[in-house]
Amino acid sequence: MFGFTSKQLSGVAIFLFAIFIGVPLLIGLTGRWDFYFTLTSVALLAIASAGVWLTFYIGRINIGQGAFALIGAYVSAILVVKVGWSFWISLPAAGLFAALVAVLIGLPILRLRGVYFAMITLVLTQVVTLTALALPITNGAKGISNIPLPSGVSIFGIPLLPDFAGMENTKLAFYYTACILMIITYATLYRLVNSRLGHLCRSMQQNEELASSIGVNISYIRIVIFAISSFFGGIGGAMFGSIAQSVYPSSFQVADSVNFMLNCFLGGLGFVFGPMLGTLVLYFGWDLLFEFGKYQMLIYSTVLILIIRFLPNGLLSIRFGKGGDK
Amino acid sequence: MTPLLQVKNVTKKYGGLTANNDISFDVAENEILSVIGPNGAGKSTLFKMIASFTPTTAGEVIYQGERISNLKPHIVARKGVVRTFQETTIFKSMTVHESVVVAQHLRAKASLAGYFWGSKAAQEDVRAFGKYADELLEFLGMSEISSEQASNLPQGSLRALGIAIGLATDPKVLLLDEPFAGMNHDETMNMVKLVRSVRDERGVTVMLVEHDMPAVMNISDRIVVLNFGEKIAEGTPSEIQNNEKVIEAYLGSVDDEIGM
Ligand SMILES: Nc1ncnc2c1ncn2[C@@H]1O[C@H](COP(=O)(O)OP(=O)(O)O)[C@@H](O)[C@H]1O
Ligand SMILES: [Mg+2]
């Protein structure tokens, strides 16, 4: 079906069952309601990480996704609070605005390669934070708080999306929303990577000069990919703002941008679902190490270094063998 | 008859260094034209300007009546002028077959979005690309290594893959920069045959830079000789072999790696 093997299909089915039915059941049984917030965060961070992974796919190290998440969060918050839009319309708008900014920034910087591109993206997060502090519309250091919960959406009286404010269990609603968005993101990513655009990206990742000599418009594809990548960042950020019901200049920091990148490394750059796994492991790994107090960072970094040293192709390479499809 | 491609008074300066100085010559349709000269003579630079990998400082390159210099490489490739590189010219982590498929993307009829959704046209393209890749690899005698990863190939096959990638774009003019480098005598003679059949059977006009003089003399219809960025001679292999200036340039050069 759709060119998938039955093994792949059953894998997807098990995964969907686990996140939509298994997790709520387990949480209900154990009473650990805080897990909803944790898993929702993982899903949203995985969306932003998917974007970073995509820029890796054209051979660029992107340490700037926090900037686009922050832009997305602000755009959605401003549209909801100041303009009065529905959150559900502000969400794609936030993604599109982040993509637009990515096009403008990408035009000059995507020519750079390797460490030069990485360095520039590293400062982007800080630039957006400073901009948010300076602009009147973002309220400076006070940020935007008291963002209302997403309102319901109905077309011709048929309710499409429920009103979050009227719900008893917003945690579950946000969890489902985040999971659905994550699944759409990764399904998109999977299709993209396995379609012609993905093949052209791979050709660019491996040899840009040769790619242009076979007629690939490399600067155009770089921009398109960077825009899609940042769209994912904007969506993830906007959802975060809506859940926290607030956005501050420090909502996403350079450390977050670094983590988005690490999620990709950890999961595996050769695997579409790598960043999803990487995000989950890194997020929980960090929390589990909390008990070690001041040694948390030390242990965390050591483990990361060891993983990158001994599993250069990421965690998923254990299962799929060396290199995978990359 | 108007020539297929004209190099017109092309000059390239890198700072104070003149890599190409006022070079002009014509390339006829269906010919094999070699550009030779000692190391650093400016051969690769000339190819880069023809394929718009670098702009000219002065002069222009005309292809089928249109200027193709000072554009972008992918635009020139789309017009049918495709360059392979002196350095290894492959996609390392792709198989031979995948490389040849990806190189056909210019023929795609479906849009990128069509591919994303898996439209009829896209499926049609994918089938056609696969089939043509098989044909092309068969033609180049590379069917056996079709599913090998490029980075695992020996030098000889790498060069052949470079040519396969170039050919897969369906070029009118193929620029080959040192296609026989690193090959032994037998491999070279095989490639010579191959390049000739590319011209004879596929109607591709070939320009090549090469140091292997026996191969050049064997394969070329005409030869252009560069020395220190200047064109010092142009003619048939036998004319070039007897040209005073050429003999002088080669004997005079300290660099004796080129046996002539
Ligand atoms: N990008 C560049 N910047 C500066 N000088 C260059 C560049 N490319 C080539 N050159 C110089 O131009 C001259 C011609 O180089 P090239 O065309 O590569 O020679 P060939 O291919 O004939 O060996 C050499 O002196 C080389 O050092
Ligand atoms: Mg050269």
Side-chain angles (χ1 to χ4, degrees):
Chain A
M1 201 162 70
F2 305 119
F4 293 108
T5 64
S6 57
K7 207 171 149 205
Q8 282 172 321
L9 283 178
S10 51
V12 171
I14 291 170
F15 178 71
L16 293 181
F17 182 83
I19 60 173
F20 286 115
I21 298 172
V23 167
L25 271 180
L26 269 181
I27 289 180
L29 284 175
T30 55
R32 288 290 302 273
W33 296 95
D34 57 315
F35 258 56
Y36 274 132
F37 179 73
T38 313
L39 289 173
T40 305
S41 303
V42 169
L44 297 179
L45 294 173
I47 293 172
S49 302
V52 176
W53 187 90
L54 196 55
T55 26
F56 270 114
Y57 212 62
I58 51 165
R60 293 290 186 284
I61 301 171
N62 179 352
I63 328 179
Q65 187 71 316
F68 297 101
L70 198 54
I71 289 172
Y74 269 111
V75 168
S76 165
I78 289 167
L79 289 177
V80 171
V81 173
K82 306 206 171 173
V83 189
W85 282 19
S86 157
F87 169 73
W88 302 110
I89 301 174
S90 82
L91 184 64
L96 288 175
F97 191 84
L100 180 73
V101 174
V103 171
L104 297 178
I105 295 177
L107 281 173
I109 72 168
L110 279 166
R111 294 159 191 271
L112 302 171
R113 297 184 199 184
V115 75
Y116 302 102
F117 180 80
M119 293 312 286
I120 298 263
T121 58
L122 189 56
V123 291
L124 280 184
T125 318
Q126 199 60 27
V127 170
V128 174
T129 301
L130 293 175
T131 310
L133 279 169
L135 288 181
I137 193 164
T138 50
N139 271 359
K142 288 204 296 291
I144 300 173
S145 48
N146 296 323
I147 303 173
L149 289 170
S151 53
V153 174
S154 49
I155 292 179
F156 307 124
I158 306 159
L160 286 181
L161 291 163
D163 184 1
F164 277 45
M167 261 189 249
E168 289 169 31
N169 195 346
T170 49
K171 281 192 175 129
L172 181 64
F174 271 124
Y175 171 72
Y176 273 154
T177 311
C179 286
I180 291 168
L181 286 176
M182 179 181 79
I183 286 161
I184 295 174
T185 302
Y186 279 86
T188 308
L189 196 63
Y190 182 85
R191 265 318 290 164
L192 209 147
V193 163
N194 288 292
S195 76
R196 183 168 139 229
L197 185 57
H199 299 310
L200 298 184
C201 292
R202 269 179 80 206
S203 77
M204 287 167 56
Q205 180 199 51
Q206 294 177 26
N207 195 333
E208 278 195 1
E209 277 211 308
L210 183 56
S212 63
S213 86
I214 60 168
V216 180
N217 188 347
I218 57 175
S219 37
Y220 172 73
I221 289 186
R222 281 196 297 235
I223 292 281
V224 169
I225 292 295
F226 194 48
I228 297 174
S229 158
S230 306
F231 180 86
F232 290 154
I235 294 283
M239 272 308 295
F240 251 116
S242 172
I243 292 172
Q245 295 189 269
S246 58
V247 190
Y248 304 102
S250 60
S251 291
F252 289 96
Q253 303 173 3
V254 174
D256 294 299
S257 296
V258 172
N259 278 330
F260 289 133
M261 177 195 65
L262 288 177
N263 294 340
C264 299
F265 268 127
L266 190 69
L269 297 180
F271 309 98
V272 173
F273 301 104
M276 205 191 313
L277 180 72
T279 310
L280 185 74
V281 171
L282 217 56
Y283 197 92
F284 274 94
W286 176 250
D287 272 4
L288 286 178
L289 293 174
F290 184 71
E291 297 180 14
F292 293 95
K294 64 178 174 183
Y295 298 110
Q296 186 180 16
M297 192 62 182
L298 183 67
I299 300 174
Y300 179 82
S301 322
T302 312
V303 171
L304 267 185
I305 290 171
L306 289 178
I307 290 177
I308 289 173
R309 167 68 183 78
F310 291 105
L311 285 174
N313 296 314
L315 290 175
L316 280 174
S317 60
I318 301 174
R319 204 172 154 264
F320 292 99
K322 212 170 64 189
D325 65 344
K326 206 202 100 189
Chain B
M1 206 185 91
T2 51
L4 184 64
L5 191 141
Q6 295 168 280
V7 175
K8 283 184 152 174
N9 307 99
V10 163
T11 295
K12 179 74 189 182
K13 291 194 168 133
Y14 289 115
L17 183 129
T18 305
N20 277 188
N21 189 20
D22 196 24
I23 295 185
S24 301
F25 61 90
D26 292 349
V27 185
E29 188 157 4
N30 250 325
E31 88 173 323
I32 298 181
L33 181 131
S34 294
V35 178
I36 64 170
N39 264 333
K43 307 177 296 291
S44 295
T45 303
L46 178 64
F47 272 25
K48 281 180 201 161
M49 287 189 289
I50 295 174
S52 267
F53 270 81
T54 189
T56 61
T57 308
E60 57 184 5
V61 181
I62 305 287
Y63 167 70
Q64 291 187 328
E66 260 185 299
R67 180 175 57 82
I68 55 165
S69 48
N70 300 31
L71 300 175
K72 284 269 165 59
H74 72 269
I75 293 174
V76 174
R78 282 165 199 213
K79 293 183 192 292
V81 179
V82 171
R83 161 189 181 231
T84 73
F85 306 87
Q86 178 170 354
E87 310 77 33
T88 354
T89 82
I90 53 154
F91 301 120
K92 280 203 294 292
S93 324
M94 290 191 196
T95 67
V96 168
H97 195 268
E98 283 175 328
S99 311
V100 174
V101 166
V102 90
Q104 290 175 64
H105 89 102
L106 286 181
R107 309 151 174 255
K109 295 196 186 69
S111 65
L112 285 176
Y115 275 87
F116 182 83
W117 299 113
S119 72
K120 269 256 154 51
Q123 291 174 11
E124 202 44 51
D125 277 353
V126 170
R127 240 195 314 277
F129 292 174
K131 193 159 158 271
Y132 185 71
D134 291 339
E135 276 172 35
L136 188 62
L137 292 174
E138 168 100 55
F139 169 73
L140 297 172
M142 296 172 72
S143 299
E144 262 115 77
I145 55 168
S146 160
S147 50
E148 286 283 331
Q149 182 148 317
S151 56
N152 296 335
L153 295 176
Q155 188 67 18
S157 307
L158 282 181
R159 296 280 161 185
L161 176 56
I163 293 180
I165 292 174
L167 271 183
T169 64
D170 199 14
K172 300 262 177 19
V173 180
L174 192 57
L175 304 164
L176 304 172
D177 199 342
E178 306 202 11
F180 313 140
M183 287 188 173
N184 63 31
H185 177 79
D186 288 352
E187 286 173 327
T188 304
M189 284 307 134
N190 255 334
M191 282 297 266
V192 165
K193 243 189 264 158
L194 204 112
V195 170
R196 199 173 276 135
S197 60
V198 163
R199 188 266 310 266
D200 293 345
E201 290 167 39
R202 308 209 155 226
V204 178
T205 303
V206 179
M207 294 181 67
L208 60 102
V209 164
E210 214 5 270
H211 282 306
D212 185 327
M213 283 309 140
V216 167
M217 296 303 161
N218 181 329
I219 200 174
S220 313
D221 297 318
R222 280 186 319 127
I223 298 173
V224 167
V225 188
L226 301 187
N227 193 24
F228 294 116
E230 310 267 353
K231 183 179 102 174
I232 57 168
E234 177 181 349
T236 61
S238 56
E239 285 166 4
I240 294 299
Q241 269 165 325
N242 299 317
N243 184 302
E244 290 285 317
K245 277 194 194 161
V246 176
I247 294 168
E248 200 175 307
Y250 273 100
L251 293 181
S253 82
V254 193
D255 194 350
D256 240 352
E257 69 177 294
I258 307 132
M260 211 182 118

